[in-house]
Amino acid sequence: MTHDHDAHRIYTCPMHPEVRQHGPGNCPICGMTLVPADEPPVAVKPVESSFDTVPEGWHGPVYTCPMHPEVRQAKPGSCPICGMGLQREVSSALVEGPNPELVDFTRRMWVGVVFTVPLLVLAMGPMLGLGWVRGIYGERPSMWIELALGTAVVLYCGWPFLVRGWVSFMTWRLNMFSLIAMGVLAAWGFSVVGVFAPHVFPDGFRDDMGHVGLYFEAAAVIVTLVLVGQVMELQAREGTGLAIRALLDLAAKTARVIRPDGTEAELPLEKVQVGDHLRVRPGEKVPVDGVVLEGRSSVDESMISGEPVPVEKVTDDPVTGATINGTGALVIRATRVGSDTLLSQIVEMVAKAQRSRAPIQKYADYVAGLFVPAVMAVAVLAFLAWAAWGPEPSLSYGLVAAVSVLIIACPCAFGLATPMSIMTATGRGAQVGVLIKNAEALERFETIDTLIVDKTGTLTEGKPRLIAVLPEPGHDEAEVLRLAASLERGSEHPLAEAIVRGAEERGVQMVEASDFEAITGKGVKGVVYGRPVALGNLRLVQDMDLSGEALVAKADARRDQGETVMFIVLDGAVAGLVSVADPVKESTPAALKALHAQGLRIIMATGDNDRTAQAVAARLGIDEIRADVLPQDKARIIRELQEAGHRVAMAGDGVNDAPALAQADVGIAMGTGADVAIESAGFTLVKGNLDGIVRARKLSRATMRNIRQNLFFALIYNAAGVPVAAGLLYPFTSILIGPIFAAFAMSASSLSVVLNALRLRRAEI
């Protein structure tokens, strides 16, 4: 029996951890029973995909299927599942040059056009007032010319479709090419027999003159139109990677390296090593990620962060490869080169996201899987119905209807509906500094109703400053600051950095601390000058069985101004207070207002004291605060909200935020934070500002709306097209569409889905 609270727990698959859902169930990929995400998964060796044949260490182009991203190989070809031509992945290994399949299909398309046009004139001339053309050659020679032209188009131009259709039947993975191959071969094969042995056909296939109809022109036009549609679709699909290709093109090709002897040399980018000193002249691209050693300039980082305002750079400031230097000259030290640069990581992250599958895709796959056998059955029924009740020549009408059903009902639009939107959206996000880890996160974010944000580094700049040192009687300010800074030199916490930097600015000498111990969520302990020292919040003081009540009023006054106050303990007694403030980011108020307008409830979860948190929340209009929380408390708070039926997103940037980011329905890592936080999140904001969440939310909504439009178009099209092609309207309107119109409509449906997905490239986010 499933309890109510089970429906709100997150369950995952041991073999496919990307599968996460509320409540128990089975994995949609492997069928294994899902286990609670907060319990250790069963140790099961993952099954490697037999469709991924890329050799280990391969640095050349990789080809994948947009509908089945698990299919990957090192050479062009067709998907073994759906038959679709593989598309070159957009990644750091991108190789210049046209898509080989696009080149091949374009050549076959033009050959098809050249052969199909005279075939149409010859076969349909009498209906177009051009009967004299057929009269020049005579009836029998005209049939042989039709045979030659039609066979050339079918067996050369349509060969890739026939091969893919054959493979689909051999592997019993029926797909769009199963239907195309059946339709084309039915029309062409019938016509070939009609030329060589017309006497074998019964009267139901003969017209009033006793002639057996030939459909070479139908087979040729089907192939040519499908090729036209495939070429246009391939060109459009290339557009899904334009955003990432544009980022790749931004990378500098060379770097000006300063040698130890002071001479300079222009070297290819791949020869730059970590630690090299590089000169960046005004107007040049920053070649690699690094840190400024000399100079001052403004740098345009819009291609990485989406922010149009140049950023001022001085000594010790980080710079990012592919950004554009302004009017000043800089000397930088290379810190990350090659695949380690931010640009390369962005490209790789987006490439992986484009290969991921959104949960909604499984519904499209399910429909497409049932669709092909159903269409074959409808085609057979249409032929039998026409043969039984249709006008003469009833069997010919039945053949036309069956072929039309097979061609018009190709389910490629279903398969393309989701992956095309995902691929375009991930590229669009990268352009504005929103990196998407996978399609599941993009889909989930649309349904989020609650956003939990950390304070330090998320709402604030993450660069606290020392504001005040308040010593107790018997101690002086310099002593208290020396003890605090000496102890905090062993910590990597932003507050510790603020205290150390404040001591340096005030000329206070620090000494080495021993026996350093960090107490999560409370503070630090150690020994300075051989004396025990502790620095932390009131809970640390209380854990030491000390009373800080005498200083609480003084601390509260500081907290009411949004400052973080820490107690310094020396020899078992409180020696004073240290007050630190972290300025709110300029973009935070406007971003929070926009998030509220999108219907999100904002909760701030922070380890700060309640009064400090209240002061910040009051200024920013935050709906709810959870103060004095430990790192593990954040994950617990998220679970409680999920169990109450909320869909929760968490934004944070620290190592201690990683468990909460993983627990949330959608984790959002500020790109300026720790790598472990980024790995745990579904979204990464390159700039690290909250307005990136506004963009991510808009992108999620636009993408899901686009996917639903695509699925609706594909469903309505097939729901309307198949009955019309089968001849359902003929008794009422005398309308029976032919295979030629069916081929045009089928290509148009797929192309419309792709073009609709490409609209996301211009989405306002």
Side-chain angles (χ1 to χ4, degrees):
M1 183 175 69
T2 303
H3 298 283
D4 290 341
H5 68 271
D6 288 335
H8 298 293
R9 296 185 69 179
I10 299 296
Y11 284 73
T12 187
C13 174
M15 295 177 62
H16 301 92
E18 69 273 19
V19 175
R20 298 177 75 244
Q21 69 176 44
H22 286 288
N26 295 323
C27 175
I29 301 175
C30 65
M32 178 173 286
T33 301
L34 302 183
V35 298
D38 54 347
E39 295 180 7
V42 180
V44 178
K45 183 180 179 180
V47 178
E48 297 182 2
S49 171
S50 60
F51 298 117
D52 190 339
T53 59
V54 178
E56 188 76 24
W58 174 257
H59 297 292
V62 176
Y63 297 85
T64 187
C65 174
M67 291 169 61
H68 300 93
E70 67 270 25
V71 175
R72 301 176 74 241
Q73 63 184 45
K75 60 182 180 180
S78 57
C79 175
I81 300 174
C82 68
M84 180 174 287
L86 301 183
Q87 179 176 341
R88 192 162 51 199
E89 281 184 6
V90 180
S91 67
S92 55
L94 182 67
V95 176
E96 296 295 332
N99 184 336
E101 185 185 35
L102 179 57
V103 173
D104 180 51
F105 274 25
T106 302
R107 181 174 59 249
R108 293 178 189 270
M109 178 191 72
W110 286 116
V111 171
V113 170
V114 169
F115 280 52
T116 300
V117 170
L119 176 57
L120 273 174
V121 171
L122 190 62
M124 304 184 70
M127 291 179 284
L128 301 174
L130 300 173
W132 56 271
V133 176
R134 196 174 187 88
I136 293 176
Y137 300 102
E139 185 63 28
R140 191 65 183 172
S142 295
M143 294 171 61
W144 287 100
I145 295 174
E146 287 185 48
L147 171 65
L149 294 174
T151 300
V153 174
V154 169
L155 296 186
Y156 171 70
C157 303
W159 186 252
F161 307 146
L162 301 181
V163 170
R164 295 174 186 181
W166 172 258
V167 171
S168 72
F169 282 105
M170 290 299 96
T171 59
W172 204 241
R173 295 182 182 275
L174 304 181
N175 52 56
M176 61 175 284
F177 295 105
S178 312
L179 302 180
I180 292 174
M182 287 180 65
V184 169
L185 289 177
W188 176 78
F190 176 90
S191 303
V192 169
V193 177
V195 172
F196 286 101
H199 58 277
V200 304
F201 291 105
D203 292 340
F205 284 108
R206 301 178 185 277
D207 58 20
D208 295 339
M209 303 292 292
H211 296 151
V212 175
L214 302 182
Y215 301 99
F216 287 118
E217 82 284 356
V221 171
I222 290 171
V223 168
T224 303
L225 285 178
V226 172
L227 279 169
V228 170
Q230 288 286 297
V231 167
M232 295 178 68
E233 184 183 308
L234 285 167
Q235 290 173 336
R237 278 163 51 189
E238 291 284 299
T240 60
L242 287 180
I244 304 305
R245 288 189 178 89
L247 284 176
L248 286 169
D249 290 340
L250 291 172
K253 303 297 186 290
T254 60
R256 182 173 291 274
V257 178
I258 304 174
R259 295 193 174 106
D261 60 4
T263 60
E264 299 181 8
E266 196 85 12
L267 297 180
L269 200 62
E270 56 268 21
K271 292 190 176 181
V272 176
Q273 299 180 356
V274 173
D276 283 349
H277 290 193
L278 312 174
R279 186 177 301 280
V280 186
R281 295 176 295 191
E284 288 186 335
K285 294 178 180 177
V286 177
V288 297
D289 294 359
V291 62
V292 177
L293 297 177
E294 301 175 17
R296 183 187 189 96
S297 184
S298 58
V299 176
D300 180 0
E301 297 183 335
S302 59
M303 68 288 297
I304 297 294
S305 66
E307 298 291 340
V309 180
V311 180
E312 196 72 19
K313 299 292 182 181
V314 296
T315 303
D316 293 333
D317 281 347
V319 290
T320 304
T323 56
I324 301 174
N325 187 24
T327 56
L330 298 173
V331 175
I332 68 171
R333 183 181 74 252
T335 56
R336 292 192 293 186
V337 301
S339 60
D340 293 330
T341 63
L342 177 62
L343 178 64
S344 296
Q345 291 175 355
I346 288 175
V347 171
E348 184 61 28
M349 188 172 184
V350 174
K352 288 181 179 178
Q354 290 185 338
R355 296 197 300 268
S356 64
R357 293 166 65 85
I360 196 173
Q361 176 69 29
K362 65 184 179 183
Y363 300 111
D365 291 344
Y366 178 75
V367 172
L370 297 178
F371 201 71
V372 175
V375 167
M376 293 179 180
V378 171
V380 172
L381 291 174
F383 178 82
L384 295 176
W386 277 96
W389 299 297
E392 295 299 332
S394 59
L395 295 181
S396 291
Y397 277 119
L399 179 64
V400 168
V403 171
S404 298
V405 168
L406 291 173
I407 298 302
I408 203 170
C410 287
C412 47
F414 272 115
L416 290 170
T418 298
M420 288 297 102
S421 297
I422 295 298
M423 293 173 71
T424 307
T426 50
R428 178 71 178 116
Q431 287 181 311
V432 295
V434 176
L435 305 183
I436 303 162
K437 186 175 184 179
N438 53 48
E440 182 182 9
L442 192 63
E443 179 176 335
R444 283 172 177 262
F445 201 18
E446 183 199 30
T447 63
I448 294 300
D449 56 41
T450 303
L451 172 65
I452 296 181
V453 293
D454 184 35
K455 182 175 78 71
T456 304
T458 301
L459 298 176
T460 63
E461 293 179 359
K463 297 178 181 178
R465 298 194 304 268
L466 179 65
I467 302 299
V469 179
L470 308 173
E472 280 288 87
H475 303 277
D476 60 41
E477 183 176 320
E479 178 194 11
V480 171
L481 183 55
R482 181 179 297 108
L483 292 171
S486 297
L487 187 59
E488 289 285 34
R489 280 208 301 181
S491 173
E492 297 179 353
H493 196 281
L495 297 180
E497 183 181 345
I499 293 172
V500 172
R501 187 169 59 248
E504 292 172 345
E505 292 172 352
R506 301 183 188 199
V508 174
Q509 295 295 321
M510 292 169 279
V511 298
E512 288 294 327
S514 59
D515 298 333
F516 178 83
E517 178 187 1
I519 304 171
T520 303
K522 297 179 181 179
V524 293
K525 290 181 179 181
V527 176
V528 180
Y529 291 121
R531 303 167 70 182
V533 179
L535 177 70
N537 55 28
L538 185 59
R539 282 181 298 181
L540 177 66
V541 174
Q542 292 170 343
D543 286 350
M544 299 175 68
D545 294 327
L546 299 175
S547 175
E549 296 302 324
L551 292 175
V552 168
K554 189 184 295 186
D556 286 346
R558 289 284 177 176
R559 289 168 181 149
D560 288 341
Q561 299 177 43
E563 298 175 16
T564 299
V565 180
M566 290 162 282
F567 295 80
I568 182 78
V569 178
L570 175 66
D571 293 331
V574 177
L577 301 176
V578 177
S579 176
V580 174
D582 188 6
V584 172
K585 293 177 182 177
E586 291 183 7
S587 60
T588 295
L592 289 175
K593 183 177 180 181
L595 291 169
H596 275 128
Q598 292 179 355
L600 290 178
R601 170 191 178 200
I602 313 295
I603 299 176
M604 180 175 72
T606 177
D608 267 345
N609 179 272
D610 183 69
R611 297 182 76 104
T612 302
Q614 289 283 4
V616 174
R619 290 208 310 268
L620 297 177
I622 291 174
D623 301 309
E624 184 180 337
I625 65 166
R626 303 289 180 93
D628 291 310
V629 299
L630 298 174
Q632 59 267 31
D633 292 333
K634 294 180 182 179
R636 176 184 53 77
I637 292 169
I638 293 173
R639 276 197 301 271
E640 290 173 354
L641 289 167
Q642 289 171 335
E643 289 169 0
H646 293 286
R647 303 282 286 178
V648 185
M650 166 74 190
D653 73 334
V655 173
N656 58 2
D657 292 326
L661 292 172
Q663 174 64 41
D665 294 290
V666 175
I668 305 167
M670 316 311 277
T672 52
D675 289 343
V676 66
I678 293 173
E679 283 297 316
S680 303
F683 285 82
T684 298
L685 309 181
V686 174
K687 191 67 175 178
N689 290 339
L690 279 184
D691 50 10
I693 301 181
V694 179
R695 290 173 173 168
R697 173 79 163 187
K698 288 181 178 179
L699 182 61
S700 173
R701 286 180 164 179
T703 303
M704 296 310 300
R705 182 167 59 248
N706 191 272
I707 289 174
R708 293 188 185 99
Q709 290 169 352
N710 288 344
L711 291 173
F712 176 79
F713 292 154
L715 181 62
I716 291 298
Y717 164 81
N718 282 286
V722 171
V724 173
L728 199 63
L729 298 181
Y730 186 84
F732 313 103
T733 63
S734 299
I735 294 177
L736 177 63
I737 65 173
I740 293 176
F741 180 83
F744 174 80
M746 182 269 292
S747 298
S749 70
S750 300
L751 190 60
S752 65
V753 165
V754 175
L755 293 177
N756 187 54
L758 291 181
R759 290 193 307 112
L760 288 170
R761 288 191 299 176
R762 299 183 297 276
E764 290 295 329
I765 58 174

